[in-house]
Amino acid sequence: MKYTPELIGSMIRDTRKRLGVTQKDLALTSGTGLRFVIDLEKGKETCQIGKALTILQTLGIKLVLTPPATPTKGE
């Protein structure tokens, strides 16, 4: 699955709403600003990765990064 800023923003928004958390409360809880949460949920491509990761962690969204397989010697 290819993640896009829009898809991540949508997942954040859907999760936040499902948990009954307002954008303002999420900003306060995660130590970010309300404007940042709004932009992130809209899929703004220039949002800071550190703050985005904090939002994901605050909401309990797991992010899994898998590096490509490295060929073994002889392949």
Side-chain angles (χ1 to χ4, degrees):
M1 169 182 261
K2 181 180 178 188
Y3 291 105
T4 63
E6 293 82 11
L7 181 62
I8 292 169
S10 177
M11 182 183 298
I12 289 169
R13 182 180 52 254
D14 294 346
T15 302
R16 176 184 59 75
K17 287 182 175 184
R18 200 168 10 93
L19 293 172
V21 177
T22 66
Q23 289 176 324
K24 183 178 179 180
D25 288 340
L26 178 57
L28 289 171
T29 304
S30 63
T32 62
L34 177 59
R35 181 81 250 161
F36 178 80
V37 172
I38 292 168
D39 288 345
L40 183 62
E41 288 187 356
K42 287 183 178 180
K44 184 176 179 183
E45 293 185 11
T46 57
C47 283
Q48 296 176 27
I49 187 73
K51 289 182 180 180
L53 292 172
T54 298
I55 295 284
L56 291 171
Q57 184 177 16
T58 300
L59 291 172
I61 298 172
K62 298 193 184 309
L63 178 66
V64 178
L65 302 174
T66 307
T70 25
T72 58
K73 291 182 179 180
E75 285 188 27

XYZ file of all heavy atoms in Angstrom:
569
model
N 0.844 -1.175 0.000
C 0.000 0.000 0.000
C 0.887 1.235 0.000
O 1.822 1.340 0.780
C -0.913 -0.007 1.220
C -1.627 1.309 1.441
S -2.665 1.335 2.900
C -4.225 1.025 2.138
N 0.605 2.162 -0.878
C 1.366 3.410 -0.939
C 0.648 4.454 -0.091
O -0.510 4.778 -0.327
C 1.476 3.894 -2.378
C 2.278 5.160 -2.491
C 2.385 5.638 -3.912
C 3.154 6.944 -3.914
N 3.154 7.578 -5.205
N 1.349 4.959 0.910
C 0.772 5.994 1.764
C 1.027 7.363 1.154
O 2.129 7.654 0.724
C 1.384 5.937 3.169
C 0.965 4.703 3.925
C 1.842 3.643 4.107
C -0.310 4.598 4.443
C 1.459 2.506 4.792
C -0.708 3.466 5.134
C 0.179 2.424 5.305
O -0.218 1.311 5.982
N -0.001 8.171 1.119
C 0.104 9.543 0.650
C -0.226 10.466 1.822
O -0.858 10.030 2.797
C -0.889 9.821 -0.491
O -2.222 9.660 0.020
C -0.666 8.870 -1.676
N 0.173 11.731 1.744
C -0.207 12.660 2.805
C -1.726 12.715 3.004
O -2.210 12.806 4.132
C 0.344 14.004 2.324
C 1.505 13.634 1.461
C 1.082 12.359 0.778
N -2.464 12.625 1.911
C -3.927 12.662 2.002
C -4.469 11.439 2.732
O -5.381 11.549 3.555
C -4.554 12.757 0.603
C -4.281 14.067 -0.098
C -2.906 14.119 -0.773
O -2.238 13.068 -0.886
O -2.497 15.233 -1.153
N -3.927 10.267 2.430
C -4.379 9.028 3.068
C -4.045 9.036 4.561
O -4.878 8.666 5.395
C -3.740 7.816 2.389
C -4.128 6.446 2.937
C -5.623 6.215 2.772
C -3.355 5.361 2.228
N -2.863 9.487 4.906
C -2.468 9.567 6.311
C -3.347 10.580 7.043
O -3.828 10.318 8.149
C -0.970 9.914 6.444
C -0.125 8.743 5.928
C -0.609 10.251 7.895
C 1.344 9.058 5.772
N -3.578 11.727 6.422
C -4.439 12.737 7.023
C -5.843 12.228 7.257
O -6.451 12.462 8.310
N -6.358 11.499 6.293
C -7.695 10.920 6.411
C -7.754 9.901 7.539
O -8.722 9.861 8.313
C -8.090 10.274 5.081
O -9.337 9.660 5.180
N -6.730 9.076 7.659
C -6.675 8.087 8.729
C -6.627 8.764 10.095
O -7.297 8.338 11.037
C -5.458 7.172 8.553
C -5.366 6.079 9.604
S -3.885 5.053 9.442
C -4.144 4.337 7.844
N -5.858 9.827 10.188
C -5.764 10.580 11.436
C -7.123 11.177 11.790
O -7.598 11.062 12.915
C -4.667 11.662 11.339
C -3.291 10.994 11.345
C -4.789 12.686 12.470
C -2.147 11.914 10.990
N -7.762 11.820 10.822
C -9.069 12.440 11.056
C -10.116 11.402 11.464
O -10.842 11.591 12.441
C -9.531 13.197 9.811
C -10.870 13.913 9.987
C -11.312 14.660 8.738
N -11.290 13.831 7.545
C -10.378 13.920 6.569
N -9.415 14.812 6.637
N -10.432 13.118 5.526
N -10.170 10.289 10.745
C -11.146 9.234 11.051
C -10.920 8.644 12.440
O -11.871 8.418 13.190
C -11.098 8.130 9.995
C -11.561 8.595 8.624
O -12.170 9.694 8.530
O -11.299 7.880 7.639
N -9.668 8.408 12.780
C -9.342 7.846 14.095
C -9.687 8.830 15.198
O -10.282 8.471 16.214
C -7.847 7.459 14.165
O -7.552 6.532 13.128
C -7.500 6.859 15.520
N -9.327 10.084 14.991
C -9.617 11.122 15.990
C -11.122 11.210 16.245
O -11.571 11.223 17.395
C -9.087 12.482 15.509
C -9.437 13.630 16.443
C -8.988 14.962 15.890
N -9.540 15.315 14.596
C -10.798 15.729 14.391
N -11.644 15.833 15.387
N -11.206 16.044 13.173
N -11.901 11.238 15.181
C -13.356 11.335 15.321
C -13.939 10.095 15.995
O -14.830 10.193 16.830
C -14.010 11.554 13.960
C -13.794 12.960 13.433
C -14.502 13.155 12.111
C -14.389 14.586 11.638
N -15.153 14.813 10.403
N -13.425 8.914 15.621
C -13.901 7.666 16.223
C -13.640 7.643 17.725
O -14.421 7.098 18.500
C -13.231 6.478 15.540
C -13.946 5.186 15.725
C -13.451 4.055 14.828
N -12.247 4.255 14.077
C -11.024 3.914 14.488
N -10.836 3.352 15.651
N -9.976 4.122 13.715
N -12.531 8.269 18.132
C -12.185 8.337 19.550
C -12.911 9.471 20.276
O -12.808 9.603 21.491
C -10.669 8.520 19.710
C -9.804 7.344 19.262
C -8.327 7.728 19.284
C -10.067 6.129 20.127
N -13.626 10.308 19.530
C -14.360 11.410 20.127
C -13.465 12.547 20.596
O -13.790 13.237 21.560
N -12.360 12.745 19.905
C -11.394 13.784 20.273
C -11.522 14.941 19.289
O -11.612 14.731 18.083
C -9.949 13.212 20.227
C -8.920 14.272 20.523
C -9.818 12.031 21.177
N -11.532 16.167 19.799
C -11.568 17.333 18.921
C -10.166 17.634 18.404
O -9.170 17.182 18.974
C -12.096 18.585 19.662
O -11.149 18.947 20.678
C -13.474 18.340 20.266
N -10.107 18.407 17.342
C -8.804 18.816 16.818
C -8.041 19.615 17.867
O -6.834 19.438 18.030
C -8.980 19.655 15.546
C -9.441 18.849 14.353
C -9.689 19.710 13.140
O -10.163 20.839 13.250
N -9.384 19.178 11.965
N -8.741 20.466 18.582
C -8.107 21.281 19.615
C -7.532 20.408 20.723
O -6.396 20.606 21.165
C -9.116 22.272 20.198
C -8.534 23.206 21.218
C -9.583 24.202 21.716
C -8.993 25.121 22.759
N -9.977 26.086 23.252
N -8.308 19.409 21.167
C -7.822 18.501 22.212
C -6.625 17.692 21.737
O -5.679 17.467 22.489
C -8.937 17.564 22.681
C -9.992 18.270 23.518
O -9.696 19.355 24.059
O -11.111 17.728 23.619
N -6.653 17.256 20.486
C -5.525 16.498 19.935
C -4.278 17.373 19.902
O -3.187 16.926 20.260
C -5.851 15.972 18.545
C -4.752 15.194 17.833
C -4.283 13.997 18.661
C -5.221 14.746 16.455
N -4.438 18.616 19.498
C -3.298 19.538 19.463
C -2.723 19.734 20.858
O -1.508 19.684 21.051
C -3.730 20.877 18.862
N -3.587 19.944 21.840
C -3.127 20.145 23.216
C -2.454 18.895 23.772
O -1.395 18.970 24.393
C -4.300 20.548 24.116
C -4.865 21.948 23.896
C -6.158 22.128 24.686
C -3.856 23.001 24.281
N -3.051 17.748 23.542
C -2.522 16.488 24.067
C -1.181 16.116 23.440
O -0.307 15.576 24.102
C -3.525 15.339 23.822
O -4.768 15.698 24.399
C -3.058 14.041 24.425
N -1.032 16.419 22.163
C 0.191 16.027 21.455
C 1.279 17.103 21.492
O 2.384 16.876 21.003
C -0.137 15.680 20.001
O -0.632 16.821 19.323
N 0.948 18.277 22.018
C 1.942 19.345 22.077
C 2.182 20.023 20.746
O 3.251 20.589 20.510
N 1.201 19.952 19.864
C 1.302 20.637 18.575
C 0.268 21.752 18.557
O -0.442 21.969 19.527
C 1.042 19.659 17.411
O -0.289 19.138 17.519
C 2.040 18.519 17.405
N 0.157 22.436 17.445
C -0.824 23.501 17.323
C -2.063 23.050 16.581
O -2.028 22.080 15.813
N -3.149 23.765 16.804
C -4.404 23.457 16.114
C -4.233 23.561 14.605
O -4.693 22.699 13.860
C -5.508 24.403 16.598
C -6.868 24.265 15.910
C -7.420 22.858 16.071
C -7.839 25.298 16.456
N -3.542 24.589 14.140
C -3.324 24.765 12.699
C -2.578 23.556 12.112
O -2.868 23.106 11.016
C -2.520 26.051 12.457
C -2.251 26.358 11.005
C -3.444 27.022 10.356
N -4.052 26.109 9.418
C -5.282 26.202 8.947
N -6.065 27.174 9.321
N -5.754 25.350 8.088
N -1.616 23.026 12.881
C -0.863 21.868 12.411
C -1.790 20.663 12.230
O -1.732 19.958 11.221
C 0.275 21.501 13.371
C 1.021 20.287 12.929
C 1.975 20.376 11.941
C 0.730 19.043 13.460
C 2.648 19.239 11.487
C 1.388 17.908 13.024
C 2.353 18.016 12.025
N -2.654 20.416 13.218
C -3.587 19.282 13.143
C -4.508 19.443 11.935
O -4.726 18.491 11.175
C -4.407 19.134 14.442
C -5.494 18.084 14.294
C -3.496 18.799 15.620
N -5.022 20.636 11.731
C -5.911 20.893 10.589
C -5.181 20.616 9.279
O -5.698 19.924 8.399
C -6.434 22.349 10.642
C -7.383 22.527 11.832
C -7.119 22.731 9.331
C -7.720 23.973 12.152
N -3.973 21.147 9.146
C -3.190 20.944 7.919
C -2.848 19.474 7.703
O -2.924 18.964 6.584
C -1.905 21.771 7.954
C -2.149 23.263 7.788
O -3.258 23.655 7.362
O -1.222 24.043 8.096
N -2.474 18.798 8.764
C -2.121 17.380 8.663
C -3.323 16.556 8.202
O -3.200 15.708 7.317
C -1.602 16.869 10.009
C -1.117 15.427 10.064
C 0.066 15.210 9.131
C -0.734 15.058 11.495
N -4.479 16.819 8.772
C -5.684 16.081 8.381
C -6.094 16.365 6.942
O -6.713 15.530 6.298
C -6.833 16.402 9.331
C -6.661 15.780 10.703
C -7.875 15.964 11.594
O -8.843 16.646 11.193
O -7.848 15.421 12.719
N -5.718 17.524 6.431
C -6.022 17.880 5.041
C -4.997 17.291 4.074
O -5.138 17.415 2.866
C -6.071 19.395 4.866
C -7.298 20.027 5.478
C -7.304 21.520 5.189
C -8.549 22.164 5.758
N -8.576 23.616 5.480
N -3.936 16.664 4.617
C -2.933 16.035 3.761
C -1.861 16.982 3.261
O -1.234 16.724 2.232
N -1.618 18.060 3.997
C -0.583 19.010 3.585
C 0.768 18.309 3.529
O 1.214 17.706 4.499
C -0.528 20.182 4.559
C 0.446 21.259 4.159
C 0.388 22.442 5.101
C 1.391 23.491 4.693
N 1.399 24.606 5.637
N 1.405 18.379 2.384
C 2.642 17.634 2.147
C 3.842 18.170 2.909
O 4.816 17.449 3.110
C 2.961 17.614 0.651
C 1.952 16.813 -0.145
C 2.331 16.694 -1.602
O 3.462 17.052 -1.967
O 1.489 16.214 -2.369
N 3.802 19.402 3.357
C 4.965 19.996 4.007
C 4.896 19.959 5.531
O 5.708 20.600 6.195
C 5.151 21.456 3.545
O 3.957 22.191 3.834
C 5.460 21.529 2.060
N 3.975 19.184 6.088
C 3.895 19.064 7.547
C 5.166 18.398 8.076
O 5.720 17.498 7.439
C 2.676 18.239 7.964
S 1.131 19.162 7.848
N 5.594 18.828 9.230
C 6.824 18.302 9.833
C 6.641 16.849 10.243
O 5.685 16.501 10.929
C 7.199 19.130 11.054
C 7.534 20.565 10.736
C 7.804 21.363 11.996
O 8.215 20.814 13.015
N 7.567 22.654 11.936
N 7.580 16.009 9.849
C 7.487 14.572 10.108
C 7.487 14.268 11.605
O 6.744 13.403 12.064
C 8.605 13.789 9.370
C 8.406 12.278 9.509
C 9.976 14.173 9.898
C 7.282 11.740 8.701
N 8.282 14.979 12.386
C 8.345 14.722 13.824
C 7.010 14.960 14.497
O 6.552 14.153 15.310
N 6.368 16.060 14.151
C 5.062 16.363 14.726
C 4.006 15.373 14.235
O 3.121 14.972 14.989
C 4.638 17.786 14.376
C 5.425 18.855 15.101
C 4.908 20.233 14.736
C 5.669 21.330 15.432
N 5.158 22.661 15.059
N 4.088 14.984 12.967
C 3.138 14.009 12.425
C 3.276 12.677 13.160
O 2.273 12.030 13.497
C 3.363 13.826 10.924
N 4.504 12.259 13.430
C 4.720 11.016 14.171
C 4.168 11.117 15.589
O 3.606 10.150 16.119
C 6.216 10.674 14.201
C 6.830 10.277 12.860
C 8.343 10.159 12.990
C 6.223 9.004 12.318
N 4.290 12.287 16.198
C 3.740 12.501 17.534
C 2.223 12.358 17.523
O 1.633 11.729 18.411
C 4.140 13.895 18.067
O 5.562 13.955 18.160
C 3.533 14.171 19.427
N 1.578 12.912 16.514
C 0.117 12.803 16.379
C -0.282 11.339 16.218
O -1.222 10.861 16.865
C -0.390 13.626 15.177
C -0.167 15.111 15.394
C -1.850 13.306 14.866
C -1.119 15.795 16.334
N 0.428 10.611 15.359
C 0.127 9.193 15.160
C 0.238 8.431 16.474
O -0.633 7.628 16.821
C 1.068 8.584 14.110
C 0.878 9.066 12.670
C 2.015 8.541 11.791
C -0.463 8.637 12.118
N 1.301 8.686 17.207
C 1.509 8.002 18.482
C 0.429 8.388 19.493
O -0.087 7.528 20.209
C 2.892 8.346 19.040
C 3.212 7.602 20.312
C 4.624 7.898 20.806
O 5.257 8.852 20.377
N 5.110 7.084 21.706
N 0.071 9.653 19.548
C -0.968 10.114 20.473
C -2.290 9.403 20.218
O -3.002 9.040 21.155
C -1.153 11.645 20.339
O 0.087 12.292 20.649
C -2.226 12.154 21.281
N -2.611 9.166 18.944
C -3.861 8.502 18.595
C -3.765 6.974 18.638
O -4.762 6.286 18.484
C -4.321 8.942 17.196
C -4.782 10.391 17.073
C -5.006 10.745 15.606
C -6.047 10.631 17.886
N -2.561 6.454 18.833
C -2.386 5.006 18.870
C -2.309 4.362 17.502
O -2.486 3.153 17.365
N -2.031 5.160 16.478
C -1.892 4.631 15.118
C -0.469 4.120 14.960
O 0.495 4.839 15.198
C -2.188 5.710 14.057
C -3.633 6.200 14.196
C -1.922 5.175 12.654
C -3.959 7.392 13.317
N -0.335 2.875 14.563
C 0.990 2.278 14.394
C 1.474 2.485 12.961
O 0.745 2.297 12.002
C 0.935 0.792 14.722
C 0.543 0.531 16.165
C 0.793 -0.896 16.542
C 0.336 -1.236 17.917
N 0.760 -0.393 18.986
N 2.713 2.863 12.857
C 3.356 3.050 11.568
C 4.453 2.005 11.451
O 5.328 1.927 12.318
C 3.954 4.456 11.471
C 4.703 4.808 10.199
C 3.739 4.833 9.012
C 5.376 6.158 10.345
N 4.400 1.190 10.418
C 5.387 0.136 10.227
C 6.210 0.458 8.986
O 5.665 0.633 7.904
C 4.693 -1.247 10.061
C 5.723 -2.334 9.813
C 3.849 -1.561 11.273
N 7.502 0.547 9.176
C 8.413 0.780 8.063
C 9.204 -0.490 7.818
O 9.796 -1.045 8.740
C 9.373 1.934 8.393
C 8.720 3.266 8.735
C 9.781 4.265 9.191
C 7.966 3.805 7.550
N 9.212 -0.932 6.585
C 9.913 -2.164 6.243
C 10.924 -1.860 5.147
O 10.536 -1.483 4.036
C 8.917 -3.236 5.746
O 7.882 -3.384 6.704
C 9.601 -4.558 5.512
N 12.209 -1.996 5.455
C 13.204 -1.732 4.418
C 13.148 -2.824 3.350
O 12.681 -3.936 3.614
C 14.532 -1.766 5.179
C 14.271 -2.611 6.378
C 12.811 -2.430 6.711
N 13.626 -2.499 2.166
C 13.635 -3.517 1.120
C 14.584 -4.662 1.479
O 15.553 -4.467 2.219
C 14.125 -2.766 -0.122
C 14.858 -1.579 0.413
C 14.239 -1.255 1.742
N 14.276 -5.818 0.981
C 15.146 -6.968 1.233
C 16.483 -6.740 0.545
O 16.550 -6.206 -0.560
C 14.487 -8.234 0.682
N 17.542 -7.133 1.233
C 18.872 -7.028 0.640
C 19.263 -8.388 0.091
O 19.100 -9.404 0.779
C 19.920 -6.568 1.673
O 19.491 -6.908 2.962
C 20.198 -5.120 1.596
N 19.722 -8.410 -1.116
C 20.099 -9.695 -1.684
C 21.277 -10.294 -0.910
O 22.160 -9.574 -0.450
C 20.496 -9.385 -3.121
C 20.631 -7.902 -3.215
C 19.951 -7.310 -2.028
N 21.244 -11.595 -0.753
C 22.353 -12.271 -0.097
C 23.458 -12.495 -1.124
O 23.236 -12.451 -2.323
C 21.906 -13.615 0.497
O 21.380 -14.419 -0.541
C 20.865 -13.400 1.582
N 24.658 -12.748 -0.624
C 25.784 -12.989 -1.539
C 25.477 -14.189 -2.420
O 24.929 -15.185 -1.964
C 27.060 -13.236 -0.749
C 27.544 -11.993 -0.030
C 28.847 -12.250 0.700
C 29.292 -10.985 1.381
N 30.538 -11.144 2.103
N 25.802 -14.034 -3.666
C 25.593 -15.120 -4.590
C 24.309 -14.981 -5.386
O 24.032 -15.759 -6.271
N 23.491 -13.974 -5.089
C 22.243 -13.778 -5.853
C 22.464 -12.814 -6.967
O 23.173 -11.907 -6.941
C 21.119 -13.251 -4.949
C 20.552 -14.315 -4.066
C 19.318 -13.808 -3.318
O 18.627 -12.903 -3.814
O 19.056 -14.325 -2.249
